[in-house]
Amino acid sequence: EEELSSMSFSPDGLCILTAAGEMARIWDVASGECLHTLQGPECCRLQATFSPDGQQILTFILDEPWDDKWAQIWSTASGECLHTLSDHHKDLNSATFSPDGRHVVTASDDGTARIWSTASGDCLHTLEWMHKCLSAEFSADSLHVVTVSFDETVRLWSTASGECLHTWGGKEQEDEYEKACKVALSPDGLHVLTAFWDVAKVRSAATGECLHTLPTHPCRIDHMVFLANETARGQETAAPKTTAKGVAKVEEQKSSEESSALEPGEAQPPQKRACLSIEEPDKFRKASSSGA
């Protein structure tokens, strides 16, 4: 059996979307019945995600050995393929819907990211540079796209015009493993979170200045996202969270004085900050033990 490459609930919670091998499937949560099967080309590995309104599904091909370097948009209701996004000529590294559901952005080893219309399937803008594009994500308001390339250059683009608004970073990578790169924009658009292999950095979206370097993970970072946390004043701030290939735990940190000051049965105060700890996978734990 094929290993699952992605799985998610629909926004309304009524369906589940799974992808394994060359097929993605839509399942009914209540009955467990498979409603539709979305068939990709033979010998490929698909990844799939719902649109923000749950009406469409985006699939793209990972590690395709043949000539099909494309993504597809499907109808959730009918399982019909609506559009094939096929202008890339090398492997895709990411594909995602915009939060407003009007666009898709794809990132490819061909040195481009492309912005597509979900209504027509047309390529609206091609975002080009010299190095492989490893990841592309929309801002929370869908007005911008942030990309990161193999030379560690981060770029901020206008969704409407395809114009590059800011560029920062950039260096020649010494190791092919540096390809394991992710990028994310904070909900308020003020910060960019980038990850190269096991190191994540928080940057200013306006200047590109590195504000924080997050503690090194024991292995490659697979996922990262900004979380909205309550502060003591009841305001919301975006706190970055990264997840490595292991088990991630987000725990509230309180001083011993704060904990001891609580009366029995008294409610906990609002969360002030989050501490991320990583439990290493067995192979890393064993390696570190043997090296001690």
Side-chain angles (χ1 to χ4, degrees):
E1 295 184 0
E2 296 283 355
E3 179 182 355
L4 282 174
S5 54
S6 64
M7 58 182 182
S8 60
F9 281 97
S10 60
D12 60 11
L14 299 179
C15 295
I16 292 173
L17 176 64
T18 61
E22 61 202 40
M23 289 184 290
R25 291 183 171 92
I26 307 169
W27 306 83
D28 179 73
V29 171
S31 66
E33 177 187 359
C34 179
L35 304 177
H36 302 292
T37 298
L38 317 181
Q39 180 67 53
E42 293 183 3
C43 303
C44 78
R45 186 162 62 97
L46 289 182
Q47 187 159 325
T49 185
F50 282 107
S51 62
D53 63 5
Q55 299 301 305
Q56 295 180 329
I57 288 170
L58 176 65
T59 63
F60 75 97
I61 300 172
L62 294 166
D63 305 327
E64 169 57 47
W66 311 111
D67 295 327
D68 299 313
K69 317 295 183 185
W70 39 253
Q72 289 181 300
I73 299 174
W74 307 74
S75 165
T76 302
S78 67
E80 175 189 3
C81 180
L82 304 176
H83 306 295
T84 297
L85 317 179
S86 59
D87 287 356
H88 289 292
H89 59 271
K90 288 188 178 180
D91 287 347
L92 295 183
N93 293 315
S94 71
T96 185
F97 281 105
S98 60
D100 63 11
R102 297 175 56 197
H103 301 98
V104 164
V105 64
T106 53
S108 170
D109 279 351
D110 64 10
T112 70
R114 297 176 189 265
I115 300 174
W116 311 78
S117 165
T118 56
S120 66
D122 294 335
C123 180
L124 304 179
H125 303 293
T126 300
L127 318 179
E128 294 188 73
W129 55 91
M130 296 297 294
H131 293 270
K132 300 174 182 178
C133 184
L134 304 182
S135 183
E137 298 288 340
F138 285 99
S139 59
D141 58 10
S142 302
L143 297 180
H144 300 96
V145 171
V146 62
T147 62
V148 63
S149 54
F150 189 67
D151 64 345
E152 204 171 336
T153 299
V154 180
R155 292 175 172 85
L156 187 68
W157 309 78
S158 164
T159 303
S161 67
E163 177 187 2
C164 182
L165 305 177
H166 298 292
T167 301
W168 58 84
K171 68 179 184 181
E172 292 299 325
Q173 303 298 337
E174 299 177 356
D175 195 327
E176 177 67 18
Y177 286 110
E178 293 287 353
K179 181 179 177 180
C181 176
K182 305 291 181 183
V183 64
L185 269 172
S186 64
D188 58 13
L190 297 179
H191 301 95
V192 176
L193 182 61
T194 60
F196 284 85
W197 191 242
D198 60 353
V199 177
K201 296 181 179 181
V202 182
R203 297 179 179 272
S204 164
T207 65
E209 177 188 1
C210 181
L211 306 177
H212 306 288
T213 298
L214 304 187
T216 301
H217 286 287
C219 45
R220 189 186 72 188
I221 295 172
D222 282 329
H223 180 70
M224 58 188 190
V225 65
F226 281 91
L227 302 179
N229 289 338
E230 284 187 338
T231 66
R233 301 178 194 174
Q235 299 172 335
E236 286 193 352
T237 57
K241 171 189 173 184
T242 59
T243 303
K245 278 195 172 178
V247 180
K249 296 181 178 178
V250 179
E251 301 170 338
E252 184 181 343
Q253 282 192 332
K254 297 186 292 292
S255 66
S256 56
E257 292 80 8
E258 288 177 315
S259 299
S260 60
L262 292 176
E263 296 295 332
E266 183 179 352
Q268 296 284 344
Q271 182 176 343
K272 293 183 178 180
R273 58 176 176 160
C275 175
L276 180 71
S277 63
I278 301 292
E279 292 184 359
E280 299 181 29
D282 289 341
K283 64 179 181 180
F284 289 96
R285 187 178 296 114
K286 291 176 182 178
S288 60
S289 301
S290 62

